Amino acid sequence: MGEELKLFGSWGSPFSRRIEIALKIKGVEYEYLEEDIFHNKSALLLKYNPVHKKVPVLVHNSKPIAESQVILEYIDETWNDNPILPRDPYKRAMARFWAKFIDEKCVPTIWKSFMSGGPEREKAHEEACELLSTLEGELKGKKFFGGETVGFVDIVASFISHWVGPVQEAAGVDVLTEDKFPMLYKWAEEFKNCPVIKENLPPRDKILAFFKARLEMLTSSYKNRV
Amino acid sequence: MAEEVILLDLWSSPFGTRARIALREKGVHFDLREEDLPSNKSPLLLQMNPVHKKIPVLIHNGKPVCESHIIIQYIDETWGPESPLLPSDPHERARARFWADYVDKKIFPPGRTAYRSTGEAQEAAKKEFIEGLKAVEGELGDKAYFGGERFGFLDVSLIPFYSWFYAVETLTGCSFEEECPKLVRWGKRCMQRESVARSLPDQHKVYDRMSEIRKKVQAQ
């Protein structure tokens, strides 16, 4: 078709994986470029995302788009098959609201509950559980946040379905368990088993190894500070 | 069925201001209800935004929409298709959303810190606020509005902070005319629009309020 579509991403980044999921749902071909985000960002990445210098960045016919939720909306508006966002304005507003809730409240608090130490960790853990409880309430017995099919909120929540498990194992902290959040847990299982999702998530043991190493690095520096 | 549109609001909030501007741009009649924040939130606010308990909340025929950028998009998608706030091209829409997110993450927080703090903290916040404004000024370039010829989504997102300029200049000692002259010109141009002139809080009232908050914060 002559369309040029590139995705600058990182294998372990939940934000980057969201974009791959969306492109696969839409059945769109793209070129993937793996970035070494911790040590050596490419000149192209810095050129396409000079403001934040982060992945993911989608480049479509030489025009870059950054920020994962912005990219998801772009993808949905550009390729119309298999819609990710609902058509109804009110339902769209709700989907955007919960996606924002996940990224601005859940993600940072859950990270904090794993990465911090002492009383700070306790507090973050408590807050994370409250937030997950609120999110679980939004499922309201549906199969997915998007209803019968995977939608915008499910894609954004893939962090919860796939990263929280191995990270909590690495940190030795239980945040998302079946008995605490039965509906969210069930959603995570359904989500992970969708073919388009299954093929597009990094292997659990790779994530686990990566975070064990990071946590060791962080906790040793925390112990040295205290 | 008669349409019922209520906005739970606070005169000084840049986020509330965005919602007011968007509704007025579209000519939507709405019932503006001022909340007594932070200590006396109305039962309606708590019922309609139980997750965050914050304004603005747009209530359309009993259904609440929260978060100002989400509210602007809802307004754009529900009313006045002949005068859209978001561009029609998907790439331009993505740019507008990107920069609106930037305003919330890189301009609002340091701006808020700048008026509440003193000394080194204030200097650092002021510097960051100015840097953020300069970056978004780059996005404006020589266009009349961020939307090009049309006043649009990103203009609505940023313009409330124009009402902060006088207060921040006075409280921190800087000049936005010097630091970001294109933004100042853009601000004046936007103020010619009725929706903006009616919705933006008076800059002296903003100064008074910021001074008050500042005193309280410093006293703690």
Side-chain angles (χ1 to χ4, degrees):
Chain A
M1 194 176 149
E3 257 189 282
E4 183 204 54
L5 191 62
K6 292 185 186 185
L7 174 64
F8 291 80
S10 167
W11 73 267
S13 159
F15 305 97
S16 169
R17 289 286 173 163
R18 292 173 183 178
I19 311 308
E20 296 193 78
I21 291 171
L23 290 170
K24 290 271 155 62
I25 287 174
K26 297 285 186 177
V28 178
E29 298 275 314
Y30 62 99
E31 186 192 341
Y32 177 77
L33 295 108
E34 176 73 16
E35 284 285 327
D36 177 3
I37 54 174
F38 296 115
H39 307 294
N40 196 18
K41 292 176 182 179
S42 75
L44 268 181
L45 176 66
L46 300 178
K47 171 185 155 189
Y48 285 129
N49 191 2
V51 174
H52 299 303
K53 306 176 175 56
K54 287 179 171 181
V55 295
V57 177
L58 187 71
V59 181
H60 187 205
N61 295 332
S62 308
K63 292 193 200 164
I65 304 118
E67 291 301 298
S68 65
Q69 288 193 29
V70 175
I71 300 172
L72 290 175
E73 293 224 31
Y74 175 83
I75 290 170
D76 206 35
E77 288 169 3
T78 305
W79 293 281
N80 298 123
D81 287 342
N82 304 325
I84 291 169
L85 273 155
R87 294 280 185 249
D88 171 68
Y90 189 75
K91 291 187 176 144
R92 288 163 81 81
M94 289 296 102
R96 286 171 177 146
F97 176 88
W98 288 105
K100 190 171 192 198
F101 178 78
I102 291 167
D103 273 354
E104 291 185 7
K105 297 281 181 189
C106 299
V107 171
T109 309
I110 291 171
W111 274 142
K112 210 168 170 196
S113 74
F114 295 137
M115 300 295 173
S116 58
E120 215 186 313
R121 174 182 264 208
E122 295 263 335
K123 194 171 167 242
H125 184 255
E126 216 182 282
E127 216 189 305
C129 289
E130 266 173 48
L131 294 168
L132 285 175
S133 179
T134 303
L135 186 63
E136 189 180 52
E138 181 50 21
L139 263 175
K140 296 178 182 128
K142 293 181 296 202
K143 189 173 177 192
F144 298 113
F145 288 98
E148 278 306 301
T149 52
V150 163
F152 191 66
V153 180
D154 301 278
I155 297 172
V156 170
S158 61
F159 161 76
I160 292 166
S161 69
H162 207 73
W163 272 260
V164 171
V167 180
Q168 73 187 10
E169 192 183 317
V173 174
D174 271 345
V175 174
L176 178 65
T177 60
E178 192 174 0
D179 48 78
K180 267 200 256 171
F181 303 105
M183 287 194 288
L184 207 52
Y185 195 84
K186 185 166 171 241
W187 163 82
E189 292 300 304
E190 286 278 8
F191 183 73
K192 276 188 285 195
N193 286 313
C194 291
V196 76
I197 307 303
K198 220 171 175 171
E199 292 153 14
N200 285 296
L201 290 172
R204 191 186 192 277
D205 50 354
K206 225 178 156 190
I207 302 180
L208 181 59
F210 178 78
F211 281 103
K212 268 195 170 137
R214 268 206 96 186
L215 274 163
E216 260 169 46
M217 215 176 70
L218 279 162
T219 48
S220 69
S221 72
Y222 176 81
K223 279 183 194 143
N224 290 334
R225 261 193 293 142
V226 171
Chain B
M1 178 177 105
E3 205 159 44
E4 188 199 52
V5 182
I6 297 170
L7 182 68
L8 302 182
D9 195 12
L10 180 68
W11 70 271
S12 56
S13 159
F15 310 102
T17 305
R18 288 171 177 168
R20 297 197 286 278
I21 295 172
L23 287 165
R24 286 169 176 150
E25 277 289 314
K26 297 283 187 168
V28 177
H29 292 292
F30 63 101
D31 175 11
L32 194 155
R33 297 198 193 166
E34 193 73 16
E35 285 284 326
D36 180 12
L37 300 177
S39 40
N40 196 19
K41 294 178 181 181
S42 73
L44 186 61
L45 174 58
L46 300 176
Q47 182 200 353
M48 290 288 154
N49 190 0
V51 175
H52 301 300
K53 306 177 176 58
K54 285 181 168 180
I55 60 96
V57 181
L58 181 74
I59 310 172
H60 184 201
N61 294 333
K63 298 203 283 193
V65 182
C66 308
E67 297 298 307
S68 64
H69 285 145
I70 296 175
I71 292 173
I72 302 171
Q73 290 180 93
Y74 176 80
I75 291 169
D76 200 34
E77 290 166 14
T78 304
W79 291 286
E82 68 284 355
S83 48
L85 290 170
L86 269 147
S88 49
D89 171 67
H91 189 255
E92 293 303 308
R93 291 161 79 88
R95 273 180 89 142
R97 287 177 176 134
F98 173 90
W99 284 102
D101 177 67
Y102 184 89
V103 173
D104 275 359
K105 304 241 164 72
K106 301 283 184 183
I107 293 175
F108 165 65
R112 184 178 182 267
T113 305
Y115 76 77
R116 295 163 83 100
S117 57
T118 56
E120 265 176 48
Q122 187 184 63
E123 269 308 300
K126 176 179 85 175
K127 198 164 164 254
E128 224 187 297
F129 183 59
I130 291 170
E131 269 167 33
L133 288 169
K134 282 183 164 159
V136 81
E137 187 183 48
E139 177 60 13
L140 176 66
D142 292 312
K143 301 194 298 269
Y145 300 109
F146 286 96
E149 289 304 305
R150 313 181 56 100
F151 180 81
F153 181 68
L154 185 51
D155 300 279
V156 177
S157 173
L158 184 62
I159 194 62
F161 296 98
Y162 180 69
S163 69
W164 283 23
F165 281 9
Y166 169 73
V168 175
E169 279 175 345
T170 313
L171 289 168
T172 71
C174 64
S175 160
F176 291 108
E177 185 71 58
E178 270 173 40
E179 299 285 358
C180 33
K182 285 183 180 174
L183 274 189
V184 172
R185 274 202 295 278
W186 162 83
K188 289 181 179 153
R189 186 177 302 124
C190 291
M191 285 295 282
Q192 306 278 327
R193 300 184 77 80
E194 202 197 322
S195 67
V196 177
R198 271 182 83 187
S199 306
L200 246 63
D202 173 78
Q203 57 181 8
H204 293 100
K205 288 195 177 141
V206 170
Y207 171 78
D208 289 339
R209 182 181 160 88
M210 283 185 177
S211 303
E212 217 182 281
I213 294 173
R214 186 189 168 73
K215 277 187 200 125
K216 281 196 191 138
V217 169
Q218 294 305 315
Q220 278 166 12

